[in-house]
Amino acid sequence: MRSDRRATFQLALLGFLGFVLFLGAFLLTTGQRRMQEARQAATIMRSLVTLKTKAGYFQLEIWSDPSPPPVAQLHTWTLRLLDGAGQPVEGAKVTVDAIMPAHGHGMPTQPQVKPLGRGLYQVEGMKFSMEGEWQVLVRIETQGVQDQAAFSLKVR
Ligand SMILES: [Cu+2]
């Protein structure tokens, strides 16, 4: 009788410990996933670059997804185009290209730009074939106005 009770108690204790372990593991992984998601959201929100075009006609803001831009991996950029007064520019012809000045080569892809509305443009087909210093060139043409912006980008 006595050993029976003890066995039951030990079993209950084991069960309880198992439950605590399970709960701990569950909370830990959930917490980690939450943190990872928050970090991802933060990096997606943070723009890669904000700059004014050469002749000053436009302002550009660019986001990369994933961010920072990965090495040798197709990915997407989103670009916001504003005029000098800060108003969204619709229907512009935008091209994005990049070269590696130190090596004399460009990207293995020809990124395609499509308008998303509200001055936003999606750039599909971004791919930096190797790590190092790249020079990105954005050309904008709209209603007879032409302008461009260049910036350097360290990919690693
Ligand atoms: Cu190179």
Side-chain angles (χ1 to χ4, degrees), residues 86-154:
Q87 293 303 305
V89 178
E90 301 281 348
K93 190 179 166 245
V94 180
T95 61
V96 179
D97 201 6
I99 57 162
M100 258 192 129
H103 300 168
H105 65 77
M107 282 196 291
T109 52
Q110 244 186 333
Q112 301 297 307
V113 182
K114 69 166 192 219
L116 297 174
R118 292 172 294 126
L120 293 170
Y121 296 79
Q122 190 162 61
V123 189
E124 298 274 13
M126 292 303 295
K127 189 175 183 179
F128 299 103
S129 52
M130 57 189 293
E131 56 174 49
E133 188 98 19
W134 289 78
Q135 190 76 16
V136 180
L137 180 65
V138 183
R139 282 194 192 86
I140 298 139
E141 195 182 330
T142 176
Q143 295 166 344
V145 177
Q146 259 185 328
D147 207 350
Q148 61 182 58
F151 63 96
S152 62
L153 180 69
K154 209 163 246 167

